[in-house]
Amino acid sequence: MLTGDTFSSNTFVIELGKFQVETVQDVSGLTLEQDVVETRQVSSTGELIVRKQPGSRRTGEITVTRGMDKSTAFTDWIKETLVNADLDSARQNITISLKNAQKETVRRVNLTNAWASRWEGPQLGAANSGTATETVTITYEDITIE
């Protein structure tokens, strides 16, 4: 890969704890944020001084969209929190790996202590001819980029 070539956004893998999610259509919401702390003071001459500094890192959420299929590993994990209310066993570390054209990992995004906080099923209708997809909101406590 030459300098300046960017990674393709359609070649990626999601690893959830000990297993790889078989099929994924879309991942959105990958953000790394930090609070901004603003301090306002007045100098001895009456001049307003505004200073900004970094605060705490923010936790976040991602949204995963995937076609509904007979695979149960991802669905079982979602049920741990949303149905069984077992957050202790549901918390998993998730790795999203971006791949190059040779299917080699070129960048990793790690989400720590992630769990499913929302599930949305497919839109069903007799006149629909599209595929059935599910959307899962995953909440995490920390994000690191390698």
Side-chain angles (χ1 to χ4, degrees), residues 14 18 36 44 48 78 88 119 131:
I14 296 180
K18 300 177 183 117
V36 176
S44 60
L48 177 64
I78 294 166
D88 290 337
W119 176 85
T131 60

Side-chain angles (χ1 to χ4, degrees), residues 17-91:
K18 300 177 183 117
F19 68 91
Q20 182 173 317
V21 179
E22 293 89 347
T23 58
V24 177
Q25 225 172 345
D26 182 68
V27 175
S28 62
L30 285 170
T31 58
L32 180 59
E33 292 185 74
Q34 190 169 27
D35 288 332
V36 176
V37 178
E38 184 175 276
T39 305
R40 293 174 175 262
Q41 299 177 2
V42 178
S43 71
S44 60
T45 61
E47 180 182 347
L48 177 64
I49 301 170
V50 179
R51 295 280 188 240
K52 293 186 179 186
Q53 60 189 24
S56 302
R57 281 183 44 178
R58 293 185 184 179
T59 60
E61 293 181 342
I62 63 168
T63 302
V64 175
T65 304
R66 62 185 300 270
M68 294 188 81
D69 56 22
K70 63 183 180 178
S71 167
T72 61
F74 194 60
T75 305
D76 291 344
W77 176 69
I78 294 166
K79 287 179 185 177
E80 286 297 314
T81 53
L82 296 178
V83 177
N84 301 338
D86 188 2
L87 188 58
D88 290 337
S89 68
R91 285 183 197 265

Side-chain angles (χ1 to χ4, degrees), residues 110-125:
N110 300 305
L111 308 176
T112 306
N113 290 330
W115 51 278
S117 60
R118 182 173 189 264
W119 176 85
E120 184 178 334
Q123 181 176 354
L124 304 173

